[in-house]
Each structure stands twice: as structure tokens, then as C-alpha cells.
Amino acid sequence: MEKVTEIFGSMVFDDLTMKASLSAETYIKLKKTIDEGAPLDLSVANAVAEAMKDWAIEKGATHFTHWFQPLTGVTAEKHDSFITPSTDGRVVMEFSGKELIKGEPDASSFPSGGIRATFEARGYTAWDPTSYAFVKGKTLYIPTAFCSYGGEALDKKTPLLRSMEVLNRQALRILRLFGNTDAKYVRTSVGAEQEYFLIDRKLYGKRKDLVFTGRTLFGSMPPKGQEMDDHYFGVINSRVAAYMEDLDNELWKLGIFAKTKHNEVAPAQHELAPIYTSTNIATDHNQLMMDVMQKVAERHDLVCLLHEKPFEGVNGSGKHNNWSISTDTGVNLLSPGDTPYENAQFLIFLCAVIKAVDDYQDLLRIAVASAGNDCRLGANEAPPAVVSMFLGDELTAIMDAIIDEKDYNASEKQIMKLGVDVLPKFPKDNTDRNRTSPFAYTGNKFEFRMLGSANSIACTNIMLNSAVAESLRIYADRLEKAEDFEEALHSLIRKTFKDHRRIIFNGNGYDDEWIKEAESRGLLNYRTTPDALPHLLDEKNVKMLTNLGVFSEIELQSRCEILLDNYNKTVLIEARTMTDMVNKQILPAVERFLAELSGTVNSKRQFNPDLECRYESRLIEKLSATADEIDSLNLELEQITAEGATYSDIIERAYYIRDHILPKMKELRTFCDEAEMMTAERFWPIPNYGYLLFLV
Ligand code: ADP
Ligand code: MG
């Protein structure tokens, strides 16, 4: 067994490797590009490419790829080999700075939402030096951004990098006002906890719904579900343990800080959490992690399901985005400090987040909207579709005292003023955790819990960074002009608390009462993807995102279109899969069982014509009626699915799907699940929930 410290990062062209393989001059120049975004000249790029290639070949690579994140939601790669013909008729291995910096994949099949006319179908990929290259399989992977020839972003990385930059700029303005001159940059960090299901590969292969849609479209609950709560943090069985061990190893080689693993609430459900890192890298790592999770599962005859709701009746899977802001000098700006002065600075950043979450609830909701996540939001233990924030009792009390201009601490008989000297000392560790809040403050970071397990975390962080940058921009504009800084600061903090008090909710977010109260507070409740997505183009959102330079208007339009189209296609595939399974598997199975029952009645009655055959008669009658019901619902579904495809307006189509197709699918499923309960197991054509959930 190799030591973890030795294998960690062994497949990554990381800082240590760069230092060892580049000349001091090249290394310093590259480092300047990585840390400060300084432009890179071609001679440096050539030297880096050469070193990268030699290192990759040593690790067994024969190919390289520009790895990027198009708007399909998964990652894309096209592999080119290093070989170049040499004069002696053989080959040499070559890789130039140009090839490192820029690629031109034929991009006509990636969704662009109308940005790219077909005559200029080419897009280009551009190296992102802030995320390390790595070797996976026999290929050197180079993280890249993906743009059209006009420069519009066709991917998720480009706007993410832009959003990090705008947050950096605005946060530095605030820090300077507090007299901080040594911070060179401010960055957000993310730790993304990932939930997933593991099921047996052979069983998976027998379910077209899982193969085509990633979730089960049928299946009645087995006698046992998650009611015993015996799976959460339970002992990990040996097959799963072997998988997790293998997975950790693969992730460590790729420099991913896989840290915590445990069983989740639902049977067959697990979680993996890495240690947090810079948002850009955390995003790449999360994509990579999802990919590796699935690959490693194959080796263990398992399938890793990343869908948000693979099984009805047990918990779905989410992803928690733990997010914080810190300086290059190591100060976490969301952590209360030791002195009142630091605390005033902490409060202004806290305010910026509160204001951002309240003003842009819709953008946060939109960032997690997908057909898959719609199956989960509001269900079982998951957060509802309402965005609210948890601050904990202590911080909320401070907030209320500031709003009311009352003492926070009754022993100090003076009005709390946020100048800098009279602020109370905050509790540093906030242990008061609320698991039901969609956006919870946990002592030094915020945890956003609405993301679906299959979502890229890029969208969430783009919106979060931008919205917070916008608050900070407004604050900095105000404070820079203020004659009395402390006075201005005080009134800014107080005004923010007052104006945005409604977004704070420390109670049980899964309670129905809360949904009613949230509505009376004027908080948004966009239940489904078609409810949420069109608001991406609301004037206030377009204005904020374009003013900051995170998106252009055309980029936003194209994204909205692609996301809606994705929703539409996903549900239509599900509907067609249902119809297919009903026609070819479920109804024929029910018929076979019915035939057997009728045959039994006939043979019994040959023996004695007067036999009642109550058991068979009851079942035949009930099951025949159910089969008829299934048949008519299925015909209706088939018909409305075809009709859904005729809506040319993408939003109209999404509404039709939401209002007609999804409810019909639900109805059809109910009858199919009843039929399953009545049919002898040996006739049922697809593995049931009991086997899927409990046989790993
Ligand atoms: P939980 O109780 O939700 O499991 P943990 O303390 O285990 O909380 O942390 C969950 C995730 O939050 C981990 O990925 C961890 O690395 C990350 N995390 C911890 N501190 C920070 C921070 N300051 N910024 C961003 N993420 C963080
Ligand atoms: Mg968590």
C-alpha cells in the first residue's frame, strides 16, 4: 500500500511539480498569471507546455484534452495525441504553448441558445491556469473556458471566473475603507458536500427508467424504507467500504481533498465531502468527483446514481455549497473577529450577504432549478423552494438590537452604536445548527443547501458571488463618499438589517406553516423550474449581472433558453420511457399473471365445477380493472407527450409539461405501483425497490 501523502496529487501538475520542472524565471511568471491574472507570453507558455508534456508522458499519458464545462451540465473533452510525424517516418511527442493556451473544438453540437450562428459554429477553449492540469487514464486534462468567436461565454467557468473577479474588486474597496492595505486579493472558497446512491449494476441494467433517465419512474415501497433511521451514519458494509476506499484513492491522486464519508438517511444513500478550496477549483473538482464516482462504481459492479430523486418515498440527494470569503492574507471575512473593529468589518460583510440573498432570492432559486431537482425540492427532508436565511439566535439578537437601537447586552446601559468601540464580542463558534434552513450561517461560512446532487455548483456560485459583489458595490459607493465613516457605517448596517429582516428565519423550514408565513413576508416561492427560470431575464437581474460584467444580455438569454430546453427534453424523455415500459414490460407482465390466474381457475373447475375460486376471482377482477386504467392513462400520456412536442415556444412548452405531462405521469405511476403490489413477484419485469435499495 502506498502512503496517502505520497499518492495525494500525484496525478496533478500542481505547484510542487511546477516548481520542480520549470526554470525559476518561468515559474515566477506563471505564478504571477495564476495569482494575479497577469498575461502570459508565448515563450512562457511554450516552456510550461513542454514541462507539462514530459511530466504527463511519465505518468503514462499519450493524449491531451482541453477539458471544459459546456451548458449541458456535464463536462466535455476531445482527446488529441501528442504524436507528430518525424523525418525518419516515426513519431515524436510534441505539445506547444499554443496548443496549451487555445483549442478549437468543433462546437456546433453544444447548446448555445442561439448565440452561435451555424456559419461560425466554431468555438474556442482557453486555458485556465488557475486550475491545475491533471492526468486521468492516458490523457493530460487541461481545464479550460469555452467561448464563441465573438467572445460570449458558452460554458460555466467563464462567468464563474468573472463573478470571482467582481467580488474581489468590490470586497477590496470595502477593506481599504477599513484601513486594510495589505490584502492583495479576496477570494471565495467552497466545500461542496455530495450525496449519492449506490446500487447493483446488474439490477440497474434491467431498468430502462434508470438507464434512460437516472431515476425510477415506477416502484412501490418495500415493507421497509428509511423509517428506522438505521442507515444514517450506520456501519458501512464491506462492498460499499471497498468502493469508498477505491474512490478516495482515485480522488486523492487527482489532488481532490476527499475528507468525510458516511451513510446517509435513505438506504443505499451516501455522502462524500471534500475540504474546501478556492471556488473555481472546488467547481472543477466537484465535476471531476462526480465523474470519478461513476467510473469507480463500474469497477465494483455498482452504479452511482447522482439524480436528485432516484427513488420515490425515501430521501433525495442534494449538494451543500459551503461558502466563505477570505483574503490572501488568510482572514475569513465571514468570521467574527476578536476586536470590535474587526466585528464592524464582519458585520458589513454579513450585511452584504443578507442583502444579496434577499434581493436576489430568485437568482439563487434559478441557479438550482432543474427537472431533477424539482422532484426533490419541497419533498421529504429537502429544503422547500423558498429561500430564507438562518443566522442563529445570537446573531439575530444582535441584529434586532441594532434595528431597535436597544442594548444587546442589558448590563451595558448604552445604545449600541456600530462605530467601532461599542460592539459586543460575538460568539466565535456557532453551534446552533439548523438543518432545515436553505441558507444557514454556520459560524464562519454560509451553507446553501438547495442544490441538487447532479447540479454543477458553478451556477450557484456565479449568482452568489455576483449578488454579494453588488451589495458591496453599493456599500462602497456610499461609504467612500461619507463624511463621517462611522456614522455612515452604522446607518448602513442598521438599514440593511431593517430592510431585509424578512429573509431571516431560524425556525423549522420544512414546516408547512413556514411556507404560509414566508408568503405573507413577501418571500418568493417558485415551486418548479418553469416558474423560476424565466425570471432570469427580469430587468433587475439583467441589470445587475450585466452592469457587473458577469454576463452579457445575450448570454443570459441563451442560458435561459438552454436551461428551459433542458427541462423540457428531460421530462419528455421520462414520459416516453414510461410509455415504453408500460407497453412493453408492465402491461404484458400483468397479462401473463392474469392468464395464469385464469388458467388456474379453469383447471380447478375441471376438478370441481362448483369451486368458488375467491382468491383468483378477486385478483382477476381488481388487476384487470387496474390494467385497464393503466392502459387508458398510458394512451393519454402518449397523446399529450406528442402534443407537448408541438409547442414551439419554449416557455409555453415548459408550462404544458408542468401542468399536463408531469401530473399524468404521476397518476399513471400510482396505478402501475398498485399493479406491482398485486402481481406475483416472479412475473414483475423489473427489479423492485426492495432489491435496489437493500441488496448492495
Ligand atoms: P457539516 O456539519 O455540514 O458536515 P462541516 O464542518 O463538516 O459541516 O463542513 C462541511 C463542509 O464545509 C466541508 O466541505 C468543509 O471543508 C467546508 N468548510 C469548512 N469551513 C469552510 C469555510 N470557511 N469556507 C468554505 N467551506 C468550508
Ligand atoms: Mg452540511
Side-chain angles (χ1 to χ4, degrees), residues 15-237:
D15 197 60
L16 213 64
T17 316
M18 286 179 198
K19 223 182 215 154
S21 59
L22 298 169
S23 73
E25 193 195 351
T26 307
Y27 173 78
I28 288 166
K29 282 192 181 148
L30 179 61
K31 203 68 187 137
K32 217 169 154 60
T33 301
I34 293 173
D35 291 342
E36 293 158 44
L40 198 69
D41 62 62
L42 195 59
S43 65
V44 179
N46 278 330
V48 176
E50 186 70 21
M52 225 184 233
K53 177 204 70 184
D54 290 343
W55 168 83
I57 288 172
E58 208 171 285
K59 298 286 174 192
T62 53
H63 288 67
F64 69 93
T65 182
H66 275 201
W67 182 64
F68 58 101
Q69 296 163 31
L71 297 169
T72 48
V74 289
T75 55
E77 46 195 76
K78 179 187 121 203
H79 300 214
D80 279 301
S81 72
F82 290 120
I83 66 164
T84 308
S86 64
T87 45
D88 59 6
R90 299 207 136 162
V91 294
V92 287
M93 301 295 256
E94 276 182 1
F95 184 49
S96 69
K98 246 169 121 179
E99 288 170 303
L100 166 63
I101 291 177
K102 192 169 169 187
E104 295 189 22
D106 174 12
S108 50
S109 300
F110 292 108
S112 75
I115 282 185
R116 243 170 322 114
T118 29
F119 62 84
E120 54 149 13
R122 284 180 313 168
Y124 69 91
T125 49
W127 178 36
D128 168 18
T130 62
S131 183
Y132 299 135
F134 55 91
V135 168
K136 187 161 73 85
K138 288 180 172 293
T139 302
L140 167 67
Y141 282 73
I142 299 155
T144 58
F146 178 42
C147 300
S148 77
Y149 256 86
E152 288 97 358
L154 296 173
D155 69 346
K156 297 183 175 165
K157 184 188 271 278
T158 308
L160 179 66
L161 292 172
R162 290 177 188 155
S163 75
M164 290 172 72
E165 182 44 34
V166 295
L167 183 70
N168 169 47
R169 216 176 314 141
Q170 301 304 334
L172 281 178
R173 284 176 73 193
I174 299 287
L175 290 181
R176 299 295 181 246
L177 285 166
F178 278 84
N180 179 326
T181 49
D182 55 338
K184 281 212 288 290
Y185 55 83
V186 169
R187 261 190 205 154
T188 56
S189 304
V190 167
E193 302 163 65
Q194 175 76 46
E195 291 180 335
Y196 61 98
F197 279 83
L198 281 182
I199 62 168
D200 187 87
R201 188 156 211 99
K202 277 187 229 54
L203 298 178
Y204 166 88
K206 292 189 182 142
R207 296 219 34 155
K208 289 195 228 182
D209 47 3
L210 284 175
V211 172
F212 293 139
T213 75
R215 71 172 174 120
T216 55
L217 300 167
F218 305 98
S220 58
M221 273 307 281
K224 180 181 172 180
Q226 65 184 46
E227 57 278 84
M228 301 288 283
D229 283 326
D230 53 357
H231 194 253
Y232 191 53
F233 281 34
V235 178
I236 298 172
N237 81 31

Side-chain angles (χ1 to χ4, degrees), residues 370-652:
S370 70
N373 214 14
D374 278 8
C375 305
R376 157 188 174 265
L377 279 187
N380 253 320
E381 211 186 89
V386 179
V387 178
S388 68
M389 280 175 97
F390 168 87
L391 282 189
D393 293 341
E394 189 90 42
L395 264 187
T396 308
I398 292 171
M399 175 172 182
D400 286 336
I402 291 170
I403 293 175
D404 300 338
E405 307 211 284
K406 287 219 186 79
D407 296 351
Y408 164 64
N409 189 337
S411 63
E412 285 170 45
K413 292 266 176 271
Q414 73 204 114
I415 290 188
M416 188 162 65
K417 251 194 153 228
L418 292 175
V420 273
D421 20 70
V422 223
L423 261 184
K425 221 171 147 165
F426 300 152
K428 263 211 154 167
D429 183 51
N430 192 327
T431 45
D432 186 5
R433 295 214 177 163
N434 179 332
R435 292 277 159 197
T436 63
S437 173
F439 203 103
Y441 180 66
T442 53
N444 59 0
K445 63 181 175 355
F446 281 96
E447 181 167 341
F448 184 43
R449 302 180 173 132
M450 282 171 92
L451 290 81
S453 46
N455 285 164
S456 156
I457 63 170
C459 303
T460 282
N461 288 295
I462 293 168
M463 297 309 177
L464 195 52
N465 291 342
S466 305
V468 173
E470 176 67 0
S471 310
L472 294 172
R473 184 189 67 79
I474 293 168
Y475 293 168
D477 282 353
R478 262 275 198 73
L479 295 173
E480 281 168 1
K481 285 198 212 94
E483 278 170 20
D484 181 342
F485 176 71
E486 293 195 6
E487 188 58 46
L489 183 68
H490 175 83
S491 66
L492 206 58
I493 290 174
R494 179 155 182 268
K495 185 170 165 18
T496 303
F497 283 163
K498 253 172 94 167
D499 292 351
H500 301 286
R501 182 67 178 83
R502 65 170 186 170
I503 197 78
I504 309 299
F505 176 66
N506 292 331
N508 181 0
Y510 297 171
D511 197 352
D512 289 340
E513 282 303 304
W514 161 237
I515 307 297
K516 275 187 233 136
E517 189 188 326
E519 268 158 25
S520 76
R521 287 188 189 190
L523 298 182
L524 298 172
N525 187 7
Y526 294 143
R527 286 171 208 278
T528 65
T529 298
D531 295 326
L533 275 181
H535 293 284
L536 181 60
L537 301 179
D538 284 358
E539 200 185 329
K540 80 169 207 326
N541 296 334
V542 174
K543 215 168 134 203
M544 185 273 280
L545 291 165
T546 56
N547 279 350
L548 288 177
V550 174
F551 286 109
S552 68
E553 195 162 345
I554 181 158
E555 284 171 349
L556 284 171
Q557 282 161 357
S558 83
R559 256 149 238 258
C560 187
E561 194 180 313
I562 291 167
L563 290 167
L564 277 167
D565 188 46
N566 188 284
Y567 170 86
N568 292 346
K569 284 178 178 153
T570 304
V571 183
L572 290 176
I573 291 171
E574 289 177 349
R576 288 197 293 266
T577 304
M578 270 193 121
T579 300
D580 181 275
M581 288 174 76
V582 168
N583 283 336
K584 297 182 190 162
Q585 296 183 296
I586 292 179
L587 283 179
V590 171
E591 290 304 297
R592 274 191 22 229
F593 183 44
L594 281 170
E596 183 180 89
L597 288 170
S598 322
T600 312
V601 173
N602 284 341
S603 19
K604 278 187 177 175
R605 285 193 179 147
Q606 266 173 16
F607 169 75
N608 175 356
D610 297 330
L611 276 182
E612 262 191 273
C613 299
R614 283 213 309 280
Y615 161 64
E616 294 87 350
S617 309
R618 176 184 65 79
L619 257 187
I620 290 172
E621 221 155 281
K622 186 97 196 289
L623 201 50
S624 299
T626 308
D628 285 344
E629 204 62 53
I630 292 174
D631 182 52
S632 19
L633 287 168
N634 192 41
L635 285 171
E636 286 170 42
L637 178 63
E638 199 166 11
Q639 189 237 323
I640 60 173
T641 306
E643 198 167 316
T646 64
Y647 282 81
S648 56
D649 184 276
I650 208 157
I651 298 183
E652 296 287 312

